[in-house]
Amino acid sequence: KNEVEQSPQNLTAQEGEFITINCSYSVGISALHWLQQHPGGGIVSLFMLSSGKKKHGRLIATINIQEKHSSLHITASHPRDSAVYICAVRSGSGGSNYKLTFGKGTLLTVNP
Amino acid sequence: DTGVSQNPRHKITKRGQNVTFRCDPISEHNRLYWYRQTLGQGPEFLTYFQNEAQLEKSRLLSDRFSAERPKGSFSTLEIQRTEQGDSAMYLCASSPGGVQFDEQYFGPGTRLTVT
């Protein structure tokens, strides 16, 4: 079993729909990252959070440390949101807290 | 552009050949990371540098792989005697260090195809 599990693996939506992508993890973490990867490889960091909720534009990320679960929401989805969304957790302590363990990603396709 | 850059972006090589990739981190970032991503999977950690010191190396990195970061600036990842299983996207990231949760900034990756 992977340490980081994402669901769904694939998601197709119509423009304007509210999107939720889920991430569950099985290890103790110090922080959780949501990343976006477009075709061709480039990865962009969307959020880094260790508690509560963060919002940036139409994107909202939440985390529940007790339940070891995080969600990424996209409001009013748009075709340009089409990408792979990856959850990654930062574990380890002190000087070794740099290591990221990644989920397999969720492929989101938003149709016009 | 002041982001992380990687060269080449694509590399096609024959099995058995050696390849070398380069990563230029964001200026003054003292932490540098290499990851490998195969099709349909998330990235996997390969190795980590703090300045010029290689502090951790994953078990994924066989003896055919070597990484360096001379002078604590750019880094190179070399694969000797490439195998078809080495075909993947090789990603480099850097972070400033110095704070507990510093954010990693990723490069565009080098896609390696071993034929």
Side-chain angles (χ1 to χ4, degrees), chain A residues 28-49:
Chain A
I29 68 168
S30 53
L32 182 143
H33 299 251
W34 281 103
L35 308 158
Q36 181 191 58
Q37 186 173 32
H38 282 284
I43 292 179
V44 174
S45 179
L46 299 174
F47 295 103
M48 178 173 63
L49 65 166

Side-chain angles (χ1 to χ4, degrees), chain A residues 68-91:
Chain A
K68 294 192 167 86
H69 180 270
S70 175
S71 293
L72 176 68
H73 306 285
I74 305 175
T75 61
S77 58
H78 190 276
R80 65 174 175 266
D81 297 327
S82 298
V84 175
Y85 291 84
I86 303 173
C87 170
V89 299
R90 185 193 294 261
S91 56

Side-chain angles (χ1 to χ4, degrees), chain B residues 2 8 10-11 15 26 33 40 66 73 86-88 90 94-95 106:
Chain B
T2 57
H10 303 274
K11 179 71 177 178
R15 187 165 53 94
I26 293 172
Y33 317 80
S66 63
S73 55
D86 297 331
S87 295
Y90 290 84
S94 70
S95 67
F106 287 82

Side-chain angles (χ1 to χ4, degrees), chain B residues 78-112:
Chain B
E78 181 183 15
I79 309 174
Q80 295 182 328
R81 306 181 302 283
T82 52
E83 301 172 356
Q84 287 188 320
D86 297 331
S87 295
M89 175 76 82
Y90 290 84
L91 294 161
C92 175
S94 70
S95 67
V99 295
Q100 189 176 12
F101 301 130
D102 64 331
E103 190 167 343
Q104 295 183 23
Y105 295 81
F106 287 82
T110 294
R111 183 171 295 284
L112 172 67

Side-chain angles (χ1 to χ4, degrees), chain A residues 28-31 89-101, chain B residues 31 33 35 45 48 50 55-56 99-102 104:
Chain A
I29 68 168
S30 53
V89 299
R90 185 193 294 261
S91 56
S93 59
S96 66
N97 71 347
Y98 52 83
K99 190 180 296 186
L100 295 180
T101 302
Chain B
R31 293 182 174 181
Y33 317 80
Y35 298 93
F45 172 81
Y48 159 64
Q50 172 89 22
L55 296 187
E56 185 167 352
V99 295
Q100 189 176 12
F101 301 130
D102 64 331
Q104 295 183 23

